[in-house]
Amino acid sequence: MKDLYRDCLQSLKVLIKEHPEYWGLLIMSIGIILLFCSIKGYSFMYDQTGGPTFNTAWLRNTFGEKVAKTFNIILFSTLTLVGLYFYLHYKE
């Protein structure tokens, strides 16, 4: 099992060295998915299990759902743009 894990990590290292733009695609994909979920207002975006810490549930409870939704949209739009930048920067 250890050898399989080591081989997978080695393959991943080689893949990332050969194609660093894949990190940009991964970041951009995550940003697009979370942006879509923020726009649709899915309940898991405002999870209440975190306690009284600063998170989007706190934002929603303190300032309202519109502010929390706007915050999420800005955050995940920025994440998508960062992923796009990485992809275009490293693409040869």
Side-chain angles (χ1 to χ4, degrees):
M1 189 69 169
K2 244 183 186 179
D3 292 333
L4 177 64
Y5 179 71
R6 194 172 296 133
D7 291 342
C8 286
L9 281 178
Q10 188 63 31
S11 298
L12 184 64
K13 284 181 185 178
V14 170
L15 180 69
I16 294 302
K17 283 183 182 178
E18 291 177 1
H19 303 285
E21 69 271 10
Y22 287 172
W23 281 115
L25 288 176
L26 178 68
I27 293 169
M28 193 168 49
S29 300
I30 292 170
I32 289 171
I33 290 168
L34 291 174
L35 179 63
F36 175 77
C37 293
S38 295
I39 291 170
K40 295 296 272 183
Y42 289 131
S43 62
F44 72 86
M45 298 299 292
Y46 310 106
D47 189 19
Q48 295 286 339
T49 60
T53 58
F54 177 76
N55 56 21
T56 53
W58 179 83
L59 277 175
R60 190 184 79 185
N61 294 335
T62 306
F63 299 110
E65 188 169 348
K66 189 173 182 179
V67 172
K69 193 174 189 180
T70 304
F71 174 77
N72 278 342
I73 290 171
I74 291 170
L75 178 69
F76 297 128
S77 295
T78 304
L79 184 66
T80 303
L81 291 175
V82 167
L84 180 64
Y85 170 76
F86 281 145
Y87 176 71
L88 294 176
H89 180 72
Y90 288 111
K91 187 177 181 195
E92 295 179 342

